[in-house]
Amino acid sequence: MASLKVPVTTSDHILGASSGAVTLVEYGDYQCPHCAAAQLPVKQILSHYGGRICLVFRHFPLTEVHPMAGMAAETAEFAGGYGRFWEMHDAIFANQPRLSPELLLTLVSALELPAEEFQEALASGLHAPKVQAHFMGGVRSGVNGTPTFFVNGVRHDADYTFADLASSIDDAMLAMTR
Amino acid sequence: MSTILAAGARAPDFRLHVTPDQVLSLDEMRGKRIVLAFYPADWSPVCGDQMALYNQVLPEFRSRGAHIFGISVDGAWCHQAFAQARNLHFPLLADFEPKGDVARAYGAYRASEGVCERALFVIDENQAIAWSYCSPIAVNPGADGILDALDAMPTTGE
């Protein structure tokens, strides 16, 4: 039973009720088609459970197969520095088929974030250590591909459909009331 | 469902193709730490497959003085195409002829399907098994168990 080795803290990107009943942690890669496909069920989960759940996203870029994944993760982190992480996160997934350095710059500009600072941050690798730390924390927690989900710290080994995720979340909620 | 060899057992020697024209034996690797990762097949239809993950985690294995090998019943040419497509930087062994013999020796062969289990072995410098694990066939075991096992071994001079 693989379990989350890196606890969720305030330095994480958290969407939804931060003191919610259930914490759903997703390790993902912005160039992975499965992660893009998981966007919809994850959003459905968030709206279905409302204030009883929160989503945490952590980076797991498989750069050897997805050469743009690292830069995309650093771009999301850059936006996060301006409190715009989730908007960038959604924008990158929405534009995944056209992922390129030019596209990322376009998305930065579209969010009215400073383009020059963005390019400096990429060039200096400002956010690379955080992305790598996410990756290694994922490896040590048993992340075995993307997307990998943890429900209250337990790896979800089923599919990423709404029904499968909901089933794990319902089980976690039941376990908490015992 | 056979039982895989456990920690403390001697790692069975093998001689297998590591490229279409090169053969590697375990005996040649004496004095080195080895990770043997048995897996069912090349070309499984997921991005985050086991070999892609190990490829990404390679620096962590290397920094612990370990040499990782993937092993399946696919032939050397198939492995070559797969390794090129996935940009793999570590060798894949072909347990192809006689098919599955090495997997059988490690207790990691699924005769019903004719493929290897998802079984992991960490082998020490003296070719004894230091740690082993067999994952359900549909579950990629990840890299955490391997790293935990390597971290638990005495520090190596390599």
PDB file of all heavy atoms in Angstrom, chain A residues 32-34 60-66 135-136 139-146 155, chain B residues 46-48 53 55-57 60 64 86-87 89 139-140 142-144 147-148 151:
ATOM      1  N   CYS A  32       1.472  15.160 -20.407  1.00  0.00           N
ATOM      2  CA  CYS A  32       0.921  13.808 -20.416  1.00  0.00           C
ATOM      3  C   CYS A  32      -0.553  13.859 -20.820  1.00  0.00           C
ATOM      4  O   CYS A  32      -1.347  14.538 -20.177  1.00  0.00           O
ATOM      5  CB  CYS A  32       1.072  13.200 -19.020  1.00  0.00           C
ATOM      6  SG  CYS A  32       0.035  11.768 -18.731  1.00  0.00           S
ATOM      7  N   PRO A  33      -0.917  13.165 -21.899  1.00  0.00           N
ATOM      8  CA  PRO A  33      -2.315  13.204 -22.343  1.00  0.00           C
ATOM      9  C   PRO A  33      -3.294  12.659 -21.298  1.00  0.00           C
ATOM     10  O   PRO A  33      -4.433  13.124 -21.211  1.00  0.00           O
ATOM     11  CB  PRO A  33      -2.341  12.347 -23.607  1.00  0.00           C
ATOM     12  CG  PRO A  33      -0.996  11.728 -23.740  1.00  0.00           C
ATOM     13  CD  PRO A  33      -0.045  12.388 -22.804  1.00  0.00           C
ATOM     14  N   HIS A  34      -2.841  11.693 -20.503  1.00  0.00           N
ATOM     15  CA  HIS A  34      -3.722  11.140 -19.465  1.00  0.00           C
ATOM     16  C   HIS A  34      -4.035  12.199 -18.404  1.00  0.00           C
ATOM     17  O   HIS A  34      -5.136  12.240 -17.862  1.00  0.00           O
ATOM     18  CB  HIS A  34      -3.084   9.916 -18.804  1.00  0.00           C
ATOM     19  CG  HIS A  34      -2.896   8.772 -19.746  1.00  0.00           C
ATOM     20  ND1 HIS A  34      -3.920   7.925 -20.096  1.00  0.00           N
ATOM     21  CD2 HIS A  34      -1.812   8.347 -20.438  1.00  0.00           C
ATOM     22  CE1 HIS A  34      -3.467   7.024 -20.958  1.00  0.00           C
ATOM     23  NE2 HIS A  34      -2.192   7.258 -21.172  1.00  0.00           N
ATOM     24  N   PHE A  60       5.142  16.077 -11.546  1.00  0.00           N
ATOM     25  CA  PHE A  60       5.846  14.819 -11.781  1.00  0.00           C
ATOM     26  C   PHE A  60       6.206  14.745 -13.270  1.00  0.00           C
ATOM     27  O   PHE A  60       5.689  13.894 -14.008  1.00  0.00           O
ATOM     28  CB  PHE A  60       4.978  13.629 -11.354  1.00  0.00           C
ATOM     29  CG  PHE A  60       5.775  12.372 -11.088  1.00  0.00           C
ATOM     30  CD1 PHE A  60       6.417  12.192  -9.870  1.00  0.00           C
ATOM     31  CD2 PHE A  60       5.893  11.379 -12.043  1.00  0.00           C
ATOM     32  CE1 PHE A  60       7.143  11.038  -9.609  1.00  0.00           C
ATOM     33  CE2 PHE A  60       6.621  10.212 -11.788  1.00  0.00           C
ATOM     34  CZ  PHE A  60       7.244  10.048 -10.577  1.00  0.00           C
ATOM     35  N   PRO A  61       7.064  15.662 -13.717  1.00  0.00           N
ATOM     36  CA  PRO A  61       7.361  15.706 -15.158  1.00  0.00           C
ATOM     37  C   PRO A  61       8.273  14.562 -15.597  1.00  0.00           C
ATOM     38  O   PRO A  61       9.378  14.410 -15.071  1.00  0.00           O
ATOM     39  CB  PRO A  61       8.066  17.059 -15.337  1.00  0.00           C
ATOM     40  CG  PRO A  61       8.667  17.354 -14.001  1.00  0.00           C
ATOM     41  CD  PRO A  61       7.767  16.713 -12.972  1.00  0.00           C
ATOM     42  N   LEU A  62       7.797  13.754 -16.544  1.00  0.00           N
ATOM     43  CA  LEU A  62       8.632  12.683 -17.115  1.00  0.00           C
ATOM     44  C   LEU A  62       9.335  13.276 -18.346  1.00  0.00           C
ATOM     45  O   LEU A  62       8.931  13.053 -19.480  1.00  0.00           O
ATOM     46  CB  LEU A  62       7.766  11.473 -17.472  1.00  0.00           C
ATOM     47  CG  LEU A  62       7.216  10.709 -16.259  1.00  0.00           C
ATOM     48  CD1 LEU A  62       6.124   9.729 -16.668  1.00  0.00           C
ATOM     49  CD2 LEU A  62       8.326   9.951 -15.523  1.00  0.00           C
ATOM     50  N   THR A  63      10.389  14.026 -18.065  1.00  0.00           N
ATOM     51  CA  THR A  63      11.002  14.848 -19.112  1.00  0.00           C
ATOM     52  C   THR A  63      11.656  14.033 -20.229  1.00  0.00           C
ATOM     53  O   THR A  63      11.839  14.531 -21.319  1.00  0.00           O
ATOM     54  CB  THR A  63      12.046  15.794 -18.500  1.00  0.00           C
ATOM     55  OG1 THR A  63      12.957  15.011 -17.718  1.00  0.00           O
ATOM     56  CG2 THR A  63      11.387  16.810 -17.590  1.00  0.00           C
ATOM     57  N   GLU A  64      12.011  12.770 -19.933  1.00  0.00           N
ATOM     58  CA  GLU A  64      12.633  11.942 -20.980  1.00  0.00           C
ATOM     59  C   GLU A  64      11.634  11.595 -22.080  1.00  0.00           C
ATOM     60  O   GLU A  64      12.025  11.382 -23.219  1.00  0.00           O
ATOM     61  CB  GLU A  64      13.206  10.655 -20.375  1.00  0.00           C
ATOM     62  CG  GLU A  64      14.411  10.885 -19.484  1.00  0.00           C
ATOM     63  CD  GLU A  64      15.688  11.213 -20.270  1.00  0.00           C
ATOM     64  OE1 GLU A  64      15.685  11.113 -21.520  1.00  0.00           O
ATOM     65  OE2 GLU A  64      16.685  11.576 -19.622  1.00  0.00           O
ATOM     66  N   VAL A  65      10.367  11.498 -21.731  1.00  0.00           N
ATOM     67  CA  VAL A  65       9.350  11.227 -22.756  1.00  0.00           C
ATOM     68  C   VAL A  65       8.560  12.484 -23.115  1.00  0.00           C
ATOM     69  O   VAL A  65       7.955  12.547 -24.175  1.00  0.00           O
ATOM     70  CB  VAL A  65       8.370  10.089 -22.347  1.00  0.00           C
ATOM     71  CG1 VAL A  65       8.964   8.739 -22.657  1.00  0.00           C
ATOM     72  CG2 VAL A  65       7.971  10.164 -20.897  1.00  0.00           C
ATOM     73  N   HIS A  66       8.580  13.472 -22.225  1.00  0.00           N
ATOM     74  CA  HIS A  66       7.826  14.710 -22.446  1.00  0.00           C
ATOM     75  C   HIS A  66       8.764  15.912 -22.301  1.00  0.00           C
ATOM     76  O   HIS A  66       8.849  16.500 -21.222  1.00  0.00           O
ATOM     77  CB  HIS A  66       6.680  14.814 -21.432  1.00  0.00           C
ATOM     78  CG  HIS A  66       5.675  13.715 -21.552  1.00  0.00           C
ATOM     79  ND1 HIS A  66       5.051  13.152 -20.458  1.00  0.00           N
ATOM     80  CD2 HIS A  66       5.177  13.078 -22.636  1.00  0.00           C
ATOM     81  CE1 HIS A  66       4.209  12.218 -20.879  1.00  0.00           C
ATOM     82  NE2 HIS A  66       4.271  12.149 -22.184  1.00  0.00           N
ATOM     83  N   PHE A 135       8.962  16.021  -7.699  1.00  0.00           N
ATOM     84  CA  PHE A 135       9.172  14.750  -8.400  1.00  0.00           C
ATOM     85  C   PHE A 135       9.734  13.693  -7.455  1.00  0.00           C
ATOM     86  O   PHE A 135       9.199  12.585  -7.362  1.00  0.00           O
ATOM     87  CB  PHE A 135      10.102  14.950  -9.606  1.00  0.00           C
ATOM     88  CG  PHE A 135      10.411  13.675 -10.336  1.00  0.00           C
ATOM     89  CD1 PHE A 135       9.510  13.139 -11.249  1.00  0.00           C
ATOM     90  CD2 PHE A 135      11.591  12.979 -10.092  1.00  0.00           C
ATOM     91  CE1 PHE A 135       9.774  11.942 -11.899  1.00  0.00           C
ATOM     92  CE2 PHE A 135      11.868  11.781 -10.748  1.00  0.00           C
ATOM     93  CZ  PHE A 135      10.959  11.273 -11.651  1.00  0.00           C
ATOM     94  N   MET A 136      10.796  14.037  -6.729  1.00  0.00           N
ATOM     95  CA  MET A 136      11.429  13.045  -5.848  1.00  0.00           C
ATOM     96  C   MET A 136      10.509  12.647  -4.699  1.00  0.00           C
ATOM     97  O   MET A 136      10.473  11.489  -4.297  1.00  0.00           O
ATOM     98  CB  MET A 136      12.766  13.559  -5.317  1.00  0.00           C
ATOM     99  CG  MET A 136      13.951  13.299  -6.231  1.00  0.00           C
ATOM    100  SD  MET A 136      13.974  11.662  -7.041  1.00  0.00           S
ATOM    101  CE  MET A 136      14.079  10.547  -5.641  1.00  0.00           C
ATOM    102  N   VAL A 139       8.301  10.128  -6.183  1.00  0.00           N
ATOM    103  CA  VAL A 139       8.975   8.830  -6.355  1.00  0.00           C
ATOM    104  C   VAL A 139       8.996   8.073  -5.032  1.00  0.00           C
ATOM    105  O   VAL A 139       8.650   6.888  -4.969  1.00  0.00           O
ATOM    106  CB  VAL A 139      10.418   9.030  -6.885  1.00  0.00           C
ATOM    107  CG1 VAL A 139      11.219   7.727  -6.794  1.00  0.00           C
ATOM    108  CG2 VAL A 139      10.403   9.521  -8.331  1.00  0.00           C
ATOM    109  N   ARG A 140       9.384   8.758  -3.958  1.00  0.00           N
ATOM    110  CA  ARG A 140       9.492   8.097  -2.658  1.00  0.00           C
ATOM    111  C   ARG A 140       8.124   7.704  -2.096  1.00  0.00           C
ATOM    112  O   ARG A 140       8.028   6.851  -1.217  1.00  0.00           O
ATOM    113  CB  ARG A 140      10.236   8.980  -1.636  1.00  0.00           C
ATOM    114  CG  ARG A 140      11.640   9.392  -2.017  1.00  0.00           C
ATOM    115  CD  ARG A 140      12.564   8.258  -2.436  1.00  0.00           C
ATOM    116  NE  ARG A 140      12.892   7.268  -1.460  1.00  0.00           N
ATOM    117  CZ  ARG A 140      14.120   7.057  -0.968  1.00  0.00           C
ATOM    118  NH1 ARG A 140      15.129   7.800  -1.344  1.00  0.00           N
ATOM    119  NH2 ARG A 140      14.347   6.083  -0.110  1.00  0.00           N
ATOM    120  N   SER A 141       7.075   8.329  -2.612  1.00  0.00           N
ATOM    121  CA  SER A 141       5.709   7.993  -2.164  1.00  0.00           C
ATOM    122  C   SER A 141       5.083   6.887  -3.011  1.00  0.00           C
ATOM    123  O   SER A 141       3.961   6.476  -2.758  1.00  0.00           O
ATOM    124  CB  SER A 141       4.818   9.238  -2.236  1.00  0.00           C
ATOM    125  OG  SER A 141       5.324  10.272  -1.433  1.00  0.00           O
ATOM    126  N   GLY A 142       5.807   6.440  -4.041  1.00  0.00           N
ATOM    127  CA  GLY A 142       5.261   5.375  -4.879  1.00  0.00           C
ATOM    128  C   GLY A 142       4.470   5.868  -6.083  1.00  0.00           C
ATOM    129  O   GLY A 142       3.696   5.110  -6.662  1.00  0.00           O
ATOM    130  N   VAL A 143       4.681   7.115  -6.481  1.00  0.00           N
ATOM    131  CA  VAL A 143       4.068   7.566  -7.730  1.00  0.00           C
ATOM    132  C   VAL A 143       4.658   6.704  -8.844  1.00  0.00           C
ATOM    133  O   VAL A 143       5.868   6.533  -8.937  1.00  0.00           O
ATOM    134  CB  VAL A 143       4.355   9.067  -7.986  1.00  0.00           C
ATOM    135  CG1 VAL A 143       3.922   9.458  -9.395  1.00  0.00           C
ATOM    136  CG2 VAL A 143       3.634   9.919  -6.959  1.00  0.00           C
ATOM    137  N   ASN A 144       3.788   6.113  -9.652  1.00  0.00           N
ATOM    138  CA  ASN A 144       4.263   5.125 -10.615  1.00  0.00           C
ATOM    139  C   ASN A 144       3.870   5.465 -12.036  1.00  0.00           C
ATOM    140  O   ASN A 144       3.900   4.624 -12.918  1.00  0.00           O
ATOM    141  CB  ASN A 144       3.757   3.732 -10.220  1.00  0.00           C
ATOM    142  CG  ASN A 144       2.254   3.698 -10.075  1.00  0.00           C
ATOM    143  OD1 ASN A 144       1.579   4.684 -10.351  1.00  0.00           O
ATOM    144  ND2 ASN A 144       1.719   2.571  -9.651  1.00  0.00           N
ATOM    145  N   GLY A 145       3.492   6.683 -12.274  1.00  0.00           N
ATOM    146  CA  GLY A 145       3.082   7.120 -13.603  1.00  0.00           C
ATOM    147  C   GLY A 145       2.257   8.376 -13.406  1.00  0.00           C
ATOM    148  O   GLY A 145       2.112   8.851 -12.276  1.00  0.00           O
ATOM    149  N   THR A 146       1.752   8.906 -14.511  1.00  0.00           N
ATOM    150  CA  THR A 146       0.940  10.117 -14.370  1.00  0.00           C
ATOM    151  C   THR A 146      -0.402   9.914 -15.060  1.00  0.00           C
ATOM    152  O   THR A 146      -0.446   9.294 -16.110  1.00  0.00           O
ATOM    153  CB  THR A 146       1.669  11.327 -14.969  1.00  0.00           C
ATOM    154  OG1 THR A 146       2.097  11.015 -16.301  1.00  0.00           O
ATOM    155  CG2 THR A 146       2.859  11.725 -14.129  1.00  0.00           C
ATOM    156  N   ARG A 155      -2.379   5.806  -1.905  1.00  0.00           N
ATOM    157  CA  ARG A 155      -2.368   5.810  -3.375  1.00  0.00           C
ATOM    158  C   ARG A 155      -3.626   5.161  -3.928  1.00  0.00           C
ATOM    159  O   ARG A 155      -4.045   4.100  -3.483  1.00  0.00           O
ATOM    160  CB  ARG A 155      -1.126   5.078  -3.906  1.00  0.00           C
ATOM    161  CG  ARG A 155      -0.920   5.289  -5.420  1.00  0.00           C
ATOM    162  CD  ARG A 155       0.356   4.636  -5.925  1.00  0.00           C
ATOM    163  NE  ARG A 155       0.229   3.181  -5.923  1.00  0.00           N
ATOM    164  CZ  ARG A 155       1.257   2.347  -6.096  1.00  0.00           C
ATOM    165  NH1 ARG A 155       2.476   2.821  -6.249  1.00  0.00           N
ATOM    166  NH2 ARG A 155       1.058   1.036  -6.083  1.00  0.00           N
TER     167      ARG A 155
ATOM    168  N   VAL B  46       0.767   3.190 -21.851  1.00  0.00           N
ATOM    169  CA  VAL B  46       0.673   4.284 -20.875  1.00  0.00           C
ATOM    170  C   VAL B  46       1.933   5.131 -20.965  1.00  0.00           C
ATOM    171  O   VAL B  46       2.980   4.630 -21.357  1.00  0.00           O
ATOM    172  CB  VAL B  46       0.525   3.755 -19.423  1.00  0.00           C
ATOM    173  CG1 VAL B  46      -0.834   3.133 -19.193  1.00  0.00           C
ATOM    174  CG2 VAL B  46       1.625   2.775 -19.081  1.00  0.00           C
ATOM    175  N   CYS B  47       1.825   6.412 -20.602  1.00  0.00           N
ATOM    176  CA  CYS B  47       3.032   7.270 -20.653  1.00  0.00           C
ATOM    177  C   CYS B  47       3.938   6.938 -19.506  1.00  0.00           C
ATOM    178  O   CYS B  47       5.143   6.914 -19.611  1.00  0.00           O
ATOM    179  CB  CYS B  47       2.759   8.748 -20.430  1.00  0.00           C
ATOM    180  SG  CYS B  47       1.458   9.469 -21.280  1.00  0.00           S
ATOM    181  N   GLY B  48       3.310   6.800 -18.338  1.00  0.00           N
ATOM    182  CA  GLY B  48       4.118   6.654 -17.150  1.00  0.00           C
ATOM    183  C   GLY B  48       4.378   5.199 -16.894  1.00  0.00           C
ATOM    184  O   GLY B  48       4.130   4.696 -15.813  1.00  0.00           O
ATOM    185  N   LEU B  53       9.546   5.480 -15.976  1.00  0.00           N
ATOM    186  CA  LEU B  53       9.756   5.984 -14.611  1.00  0.00           C
ATOM    187  C   LEU B  53      11.194   5.715 -14.165  1.00  0.00           C
ATOM    188  O   LEU B  53      11.874   6.611 -13.664  1.00  0.00           O
ATOM    189  CB  LEU B  53       8.763   5.327 -13.652  1.00  0.00           C
ATOM    190  CG  LEU B  53       8.940   5.713 -12.177  1.00  0.00           C
ATOM    191  CD1 LEU B  53       8.570   7.173 -11.953  1.00  0.00           C
ATOM    192  CD2 LEU B  53       8.112   4.822 -11.277  1.00  0.00           C
ATOM    193  N   ASN B  55      13.753   5.255 -15.958  1.00  0.00           N
ATOM    194  CA  ASN B  55      14.631   6.098 -16.765  1.00  0.00           C
ATOM    195  C   ASN B  55      14.759   7.485 -16.141  1.00  0.00           C
ATOM    196  O   ASN B  55      15.833   8.061 -16.077  1.00  0.00           O
ATOM    197  CB  ASN B  55      14.008   6.222 -18.165  1.00  0.00           C
ATOM    198  CG  ASN B  55      14.999   6.645 -19.213  1.00  0.00           C
ATOM    199  OD1 ASN B  55      16.150   6.224 -19.191  1.00  0.00           O
ATOM    200  ND2 ASN B  55      14.561   7.477 -20.131  1.00  0.00           N
ATOM    201  N   GLN B  56      13.637   7.990 -15.646  1.00  0.00           N
ATOM    202  CA  GLN B  56      13.606   9.318 -15.057  1.00  0.00           C
ATOM    203  C   GLN B  56      14.299   9.331 -13.693  1.00  0.00           C
ATOM    204  O   GLN B  56      14.848  10.341 -13.275  1.00  0.00           O
ATOM    205  CB  GLN B  56      12.136   9.743 -14.910  1.00  0.00           C
ATOM    206  CG  GLN B  56      11.916  11.219 -14.765  1.00  0.00           C
ATOM    207  CD  GLN B  56      12.090  11.991 -16.059  1.00  0.00           C
ATOM    208  OE1 GLN B  56      11.641  11.566 -17.112  1.00  0.00           O
ATOM    209  NE2 GLN B  56      12.763  13.131 -15.990  1.00  0.00           N
ATOM    210  N   VAL B  57      14.284   8.205 -13.014  1.00  0.00           N
ATOM    211  CA  VAL B  57      14.846   8.106 -11.661  1.00  0.00           C
ATOM    212  C   VAL B  57      16.302   7.603 -11.702  1.00  0.00           C
ATOM    213  O   VAL B  57      16.966   7.502 -10.679  1.00  0.00           O
ATOM    214  CB  VAL B  57      13.962   7.177 -10.780  1.00  0.00           C
ATOM    215  CG1 VAL B  57      14.470   7.053  -9.354  1.00  0.00           C
ATOM    216  CG2 VAL B  57      12.521   7.697 -10.734  1.00  0.00           C
ATOM    217  N   GLU B  60      19.126   8.702  -9.430  1.00  0.00           N
ATOM    218  CA  GLU B  60      18.985   8.277  -8.024  1.00  0.00           C
ATOM    219  C   GLU B  60      19.545   6.868  -7.831  1.00  0.00           C
ATOM    220  O   GLU B  60      20.154   6.579  -6.799  1.00  0.00           O
ATOM    221  CB  GLU B  60      17.515   8.308  -7.603  1.00  0.00           C
ATOM    222  CG  GLU B  60      16.890   9.690  -7.662  1.00  0.00           C
ATOM    223  CD  GLU B  60      17.539  10.671  -6.690  1.00  0.00           C
ATOM    224  OE1 GLU B  60      17.853  10.262  -5.546  1.00  0.00           O
ATOM    225  OE2 GLU B  60      17.715  11.848  -7.067  1.00  0.00           O
ATOM    226  N   ARG B  64      23.409   5.805  -5.894  1.00  0.00           N
ATOM    227  CA  ARG B  64      23.480   4.772  -4.856  1.00  0.00           C
ATOM    228  C   ARG B  64      24.310   3.581  -5.342  1.00  0.00           C
ATOM    229  O   ARG B  64      24.264   2.502  -4.762  1.00  0.00           O
ATOM    230  CB  ARG B  64      22.069   4.317  -4.460  1.00  0.00           C
ATOM    231  CG  ARG B  64      21.306   5.394  -3.676  1.00  0.00           C
ATOM    232  CD  ARG B  64      19.823   5.079  -3.604  1.00  0.00           C
ATOM    233  NE  ARG B  64      19.099   6.024  -2.760  1.00  0.00           N
ATOM    234  CZ  ARG B  64      18.699   7.231  -3.146  1.00  0.00           C
ATOM    235  NH1 ARG B  64      18.981   7.646  -4.371  1.00  0.00           N
ATOM    236  NH2 ARG B  64      18.041   8.019  -2.312  1.00  0.00           N
ATOM    237  N   ARG B  86      11.495   5.332 -26.258  1.00  0.00           N
ATOM    238  CA  ARG B  86      11.298   5.890 -24.919  1.00  0.00           C
ATOM    239  C   ARG B  86      12.528   6.637 -24.418  1.00  0.00           C
ATOM    240  O   ARG B  86      12.544   7.109 -23.289  1.00  0.00           O
ATOM    241  CB  ARG B  86      10.944   4.788 -23.914  1.00  0.00           C
ATOM    242  CG  ARG B  86       9.603   4.125 -24.128  1.00  0.00           C
ATOM    243  CD  ARG B  86       8.439   5.013 -23.698  1.00  0.00           C
ATOM    244  NE  ARG B  86       7.209   4.244 -23.537  1.00  0.00           N
ATOM    245  CZ  ARG B  86       6.415   3.890 -24.544  1.00  0.00           C
ATOM    246  NH1 ARG B  86       6.716   4.238 -25.778  1.00  0.00           N
ATOM    247  NH2 ARG B  86       5.315   3.180 -24.316  1.00  0.00           N
ATOM    248  N   ASN B  87      13.575   6.672 -25.262  1.00  0.00           N
ATOM    249  CA  ASN B  87      14.791   7.390 -24.871  1.00  0.00           C
ATOM    250  C   ASN B  87      15.404   6.797 -23.598  1.00  0.00           C
ATOM    251  O   ASN B  87      15.894   7.530 -22.736  1.00  0.00           O
ATOM    252  CB  ASN B  87      14.447   8.883 -24.673  1.00  0.00           C
ATOM    253  CG  ASN B  87      15.654   9.766 -24.806  1.00  0.00           C
ATOM    254  OD1 ASN B  87      16.634   9.381 -25.432  1.00  0.00           O
ATOM    255  ND2 ASN B  87      15.608  10.942 -24.196  1.00  0.00           N
ATOM    256  N   HIS B  89      17.944   5.133 -21.052  1.00  0.00           N
ATOM    257  CA  HIS B  89      19.402   5.219 -20.878  1.00  0.00           C
ATOM    258  C   HIS B  89      19.930   4.073 -20.029  1.00  0.00           C
ATOM    259  O   HIS B  89      20.973   4.192 -19.419  1.00  0.00           O
ATOM    260  CB  HIS B  89      19.772   6.547 -20.224  1.00  0.00           C
ATOM    261  CG  HIS B  89      19.228   7.731 -20.955  1.00  0.00           C
ATOM    262  ND1 HIS B  89      19.635   8.054 -22.233  1.00  0.00           N
ATOM    263  CD2 HIS B  89      18.305   8.663 -20.603  1.00  0.00           C
ATOM    264  CE1 HIS B  89      18.978   9.144 -22.631  1.00  0.00           C
ATOM    265  NE2 HIS B  89      18.158   9.514 -21.663  1.00  0.00           N
ATOM    266  N   VAL B 139      -0.396  -3.396 -11.633  1.00  0.00           N
ATOM    267  CA  VAL B 139       0.078  -2.239 -10.869  1.00  0.00           C
ATOM    268  C   VAL B 139       1.585  -2.061 -11.038  1.00  0.00           C
ATOM    269  O   VAL B 139       2.373  -2.924 -10.657  1.00  0.00           O
ATOM    270  CB  VAL B 139      -0.264  -2.382  -9.359  1.00  0.00           C
ATOM    271  CG1 VAL B 139       0.262  -1.184  -8.571  1.00  0.00           C
ATOM    272  CG2 VAL B 139      -1.768  -2.527  -9.169  1.00  0.00           C
ATOM    273  N   ASN B 140       1.958  -0.961 -11.636  1.00  0.00           N
ATOM    274  CA  ASN B 140       3.361  -0.589 -11.752  1.00  0.00           C
ATOM    275  C   ASN B 140       3.891  -0.358 -10.338  1.00  0.00           C
ATOM    276  O   ASN B 140       3.355   0.455  -9.600  1.00  0.00           O
ATOM    277  CB  ASN B 140       3.413   0.685 -12.606  1.00  0.00           C
ATOM    278  CG  ASN B 140       4.756   1.376 -12.614  1.00  0.00           C
ATOM    279  OD1 ASN B 140       5.656   1.045 -11.851  1.00  0.00           O
ATOM    280  ND2 ASN B 140       4.886   2.362 -13.481  1.00  0.00           N
ATOM    281  N   GLY B 142       6.407   1.105  -9.178  1.00  0.00           N
ATOM    282  CA  GLY B 142       7.087   2.354  -8.875  1.00  0.00           C
ATOM    283  C   GLY B 142       8.542   2.127  -8.494  1.00  0.00           C
ATOM    284  O   GLY B 142       9.083   1.026  -8.671  1.00  0.00           O
ATOM    285  N   ALA B 143       9.166   3.172  -7.960  1.00  0.00           N
ATOM    286  CA  ALA B 143      10.599   3.114  -7.649  1.00  0.00           C
ATOM    287  C   ALA B 143      10.875   3.232  -6.164  1.00  0.00           C
ATOM    288  O   ALA B 143      12.019   3.079  -5.738  1.00  0.00           O
ATOM    289  CB  ALA B 143      11.326   4.236  -8.392  1.00  0.00           C
ATOM    290  N   ASP B 144       9.840   3.491  -5.373  1.00  0.00           N
ATOM    291  CA  ASP B 144      10.071   3.773  -3.943  1.00  0.00           C
ATOM    292  C   ASP B 144      10.673   2.586  -3.210  1.00  0.00           C
ATOM    293  O   ASP B 144      11.609   2.738  -2.410  1.00  0.00           O
ATOM    294  CB  ASP B 144       8.786   4.255  -3.259  1.00  0.00           C
ATOM    295  CG  ASP B 144       7.595   3.343  -3.469  1.00  0.00           C
ATOM    296  OD1 ASP B 144       7.412   2.856  -4.600  1.00  0.00           O
ATOM    297  OD2 ASP B 144       6.828   3.118  -2.513  1.00  0.00           O
ATOM    298  N   LEU B 147      14.436   2.209  -4.033  1.00  0.00           N
ATOM    299  CA  LEU B 147      15.262   3.220  -3.363  1.00  0.00           C
ATOM    300  C   LEU B 147      15.354   2.949  -1.868  1.00  0.00           C
ATOM    301  O   LEU B 147      16.425   3.080  -1.273  1.00  0.00           O
ATOM    302  CB  LEU B 147      14.704   4.628  -3.630  1.00  0.00           C
ATOM    303  CG  LEU B 147      14.821   5.106  -5.083  1.00  0.00           C
ATOM    304  CD1 LEU B 147      14.127   6.453  -5.264  1.00  0.00           C
ATOM    305  CD2 LEU B 147      16.283   5.209  -5.525  1.00  0.00           C
ATOM    306  N   ASP B 148      14.233   2.547  -1.258  1.00  0.00           N
ATOM    307  CA  ASP B 148      14.258   2.209   0.172  1.00  0.00           C
ATOM    308  C   ASP B 148      15.222   1.050   0.422  1.00  0.00           C
ATOM    309  O   ASP B 148      15.996   1.067   1.383  1.00  0.00           O
ATOM    310  CB  ASP B 148      12.854   1.826   0.666  1.00  0.00           C
ATOM    311  CG  ASP B 148      11.899   3.024   0.699  1.00  0.00           C
ATOM    312  OD1 ASP B 148      12.374   4.178   0.595  1.00  0.00           O
ATOM    313  OD2 ASP B 148      10.680   2.800   0.806  1.00  0.00           O
ATOM    314  N   ASP B 151      18.804   2.200   0.044  1.00  0.00           N
ATOM    315  CA  ASP B 151      19.176   3.044   1.194  1.00  0.00           C
ATOM    316  C   ASP B 151      19.456   2.205   2.437  1.00  0.00           C
ATOM    317  O   ASP B 151      20.211   2.622   3.313  1.00  0.00           O
ATOM    318  CB  ASP B 151      18.061   4.052   1.502  1.00  0.00           C
ATOM    319  CG  ASP B 151      18.031   5.198   0.497  1.00  0.00           C
ATOM    320  OD1 ASP B 151      19.031   5.353  -0.248  1.00  0.00           O
ATOM    321  OD2 ASP B 151      17.016   5.910   0.436  1.00  0.00           O
TER     322      ASP B 151
END
